[in-house]
Amino acid sequence: LLFKHWESGREARGSMVRMPSVVVRSTGPSPRARFSDLSGTTVATVGVEGPSDFALDAACSQACAKQANCEFWVREVYAPPGEQKQCFLRHSPTEHHVTASRRGGWRPNADSAKFEDLSGELLSIRTLDA
């Protein structure tokens, strides 16, 4: 198999090994949005306010952390003036939708990451060193 090395741009010869697809369900303590919209089961809807996307994302992330069965959050990007933006706390993700009107992220968890294949079978749980 002939391919181009991604970093150097040089051509190389070799073989490719098919690796299992993995979904990481934890992003660490960062409240930053990781995707635009993700379908799933909504467990709660809360209103959030803030002066910036970071502040709004942090508010949704904190709300998700407080909800026992919340795995991820999705929030509105736009709302009428003077109104709170809605933040949807969800679990069991199913389908990603690309849209400019929503953004979302995974439940914050600073000490572990859960790895699953695309069928949902648990592969491993890794604990991060302090």
Side-chain angles (χ1 to χ4, degrees), residues 27-39:
T27 60
S30 173
R32 193 176 75 207
R34 303 290 181 177
F35 45 83
S36 53
D37 193 5
L38 189 59
S39 298

Side-chain angles (χ1 to χ4, degrees), residues 25 35 37-41 43 60 64 69-74 88-94 104-107:
R25 297 283 175 114
F35 45 83
D37 193 5
L38 189 59
S39 298
T41 303
V43 295
C60 280
C64 185
N69 51 349
C70 178
E71 294 178 355
F72 64 99
W73 52 268
V74 175
F88 307 96
L89 308 179
R90 296 178 175 164
H91 69 82
S92 304
T94 56
W106 299 108
R107 176 190 183 106

Side-chain angles (χ1 to χ4, degrees), residues 112-126:
S112 67
K114 179 173 144 184
F115 296 88
E116 299 176 349
D117 67 15
L118 293 179
S119 69
E121 182 179 341
L122 181 64
L123 298 174
S124 67
I125 296 178
R126 305 280 183 181

